[in-house]
Amino acid sequence: MTVRLPSLNGLRAFEAAARHLSFTQAASELNVTQTAISHQIKRLEEELGIPLFVRQNRALTLTPQATDYLPGIRAAFNDLRLATDRLLRKDDDHVLTVSTLASLAAKWLLPRLTAFQEEHHGIDVRITTSTSLVDFQRDNVDAAIRYGRGQWPGLRADWLMADELFPVCSPSLLKGNKPLKCPEDLKDHVLLHTSNANSDDWRLWLWAAGLPADFSKQPGVTFDMIFMTVQAAIDGLGVAMGRTAYVQEDIARGRLVVPFKITLPVDAGFYLVSPAGRTDPPKLSAFRQWLVASAQTKP
């Protein structure tokens, strides 16, 4: 027996009104009048033969039947949106959009990207930078490089690399009038800091090195992005607290040196994340395979 589907306009009105528990807000979202929403809901209830809302004292609540009905309707509209998005993005099958932090892009990803493009001429990689978490249902992004412990519900997380903390400086600073032979020698140098997520790095490393935490409060310079901190160290402005991903390229090229052997492991790392439960398009599969392998290769 074939079940006749109810009006699509009625279902849209029901989903919006149920989400907001308000005909007024549903009308505003769908760009129609409140009266139109009311008529569409009434017609849907007549088609189904089931009441969907309880209206009392200007409050709107769902009936038990509507509460059971809503998740399926919401999932169906989400599937429609995703299917439409895939249809309209057919011409962009060769475009891969990756979101990451600006500093990680500048100091780690971009120096490696030439190798990927040499292997995959048909894929156009677009890098977008943001400190906000990616919403894969809303943002036009295929994958993101995220820092954490790899536990994000609804996302596939592929391990890339761990992080360690250790001071770095210019070779010229190391050979200057005030050489850095032991951590205590840092008192004679400017400490370079990064604000926000990395603001505690110096204090943690100094504690691991057996120095008082307030050692990090001596006069220094603070930047809001770690790649700026690293560049200041390269330029000889002072000693920066490096993180593996952000400084390994500059160490390999001789632009930075590591004055001490003390490193502090961090209990988080970098992952390539993408929506779970989907079949990857070929462009993403190729990028994931390359990136995971590249992360294990030293510059």
Side-chain angles (χ1 to χ4, degrees), residues 202-223:
W202 265 116
R203 186 187 65 80
L204 292 172
W205 185 87
L206 290 167
W207 177 82
L211 295 176
D214 58 4
F215 206 93
S216 65
K217 297 180 180 179
Q218 67 189 63
V221 182
T222 301
F223 302 88

Side-chain angles (χ1 to χ4, degrees), residues 103-178:
S103 292
L104 189 68
K107 302 304 294 182
W108 186 82
L109 181 58
L110 297 185
R112 289 168 163 75
L113 207 52
T114 299
F116 176 77
Q117 295 191 303
E118 287 176 351
E119 295 178 23
H120 303 278
H121 299 287
I123 300 177
D124 180 9
V125 180
R126 297 181 183 177
I127 305 299
T128 177
T129 61
S130 173
T131 57
S132 301
L133 297 181
V134 172
D135 183 338
F136 287 100
Q137 293 188 358
R138 180 196 64 205
D139 302 331
N140 189 20
V141 171
D142 296 295
I145 301 175
R146 183 176 289 182
Y147 184 79
R149 294 177 176 82
Q151 299 175 347
W152 298 286
L155 297 180
R156 170 178 174 173
D158 290 274
W159 169 255
L160 295 178
M161 57 190 165
D163 230 3
E164 288 186 327
L165 299 178
F166 47 89
V168 292
C169 66
S170 165
S172 62
L173 194 67
L174 192 64
K175 300 173 183 177
N177 297 327
K178 299 176 180 178

Side-chain angles (χ1 to χ4, degrees), residues 168-208:
V168 292
C169 66
S170 165
S172 62
L173 194 67
L174 192 64
K175 300 173 183 177
N177 297 327
K178 299 176 180 178
L180 288 164
K181 296 182 179 179
C182 63
E184 287 80 2
D185 292 335
L186 287 168
K187 68 181 184 301
D188 299 321
H189 294 269
V190 174
L191 299 188
L192 305 176
H193 303 265
T194 307
S195 60
N196 302 324
N198 306 113
S199 60
D200 216 24
D201 286 0
W202 265 116
R203 186 187 65 80
L204 292 172
W205 185 87
L206 290 167
W207 177 82

Side-chain angles (χ1 to χ4, degrees), residues 21-74:
L21 289 179
S22 167
F23 285 2
T24 301
Q25 293 183 46
S28 177
E29 177 182 316
L30 300 178
N31 199 27
V32 297
T33 65
Q34 182 180 349
T35 301
I37 292 291
S38 182
H39 285 317
Q40 289 169 1
I41 296 293
K42 183 178 180 181
R43 178 184 173 188
L44 179 64
E45 289 177 325
E46 291 173 349
E47 287 182 284
L48 297 173
I50 296 171
L52 298 172
F53 293 96
V54 178
R55 308 160 180 83
Q56 53 182 226
N57 298 328
R58 295 188 177 182
L60 196 65
T61 59
L62 293 173
T63 64
Q65 297 96 323
T67 300
D68 292 338
Y69 192 41
L70 179 60
I73 298 303
R74 190 165 283 165

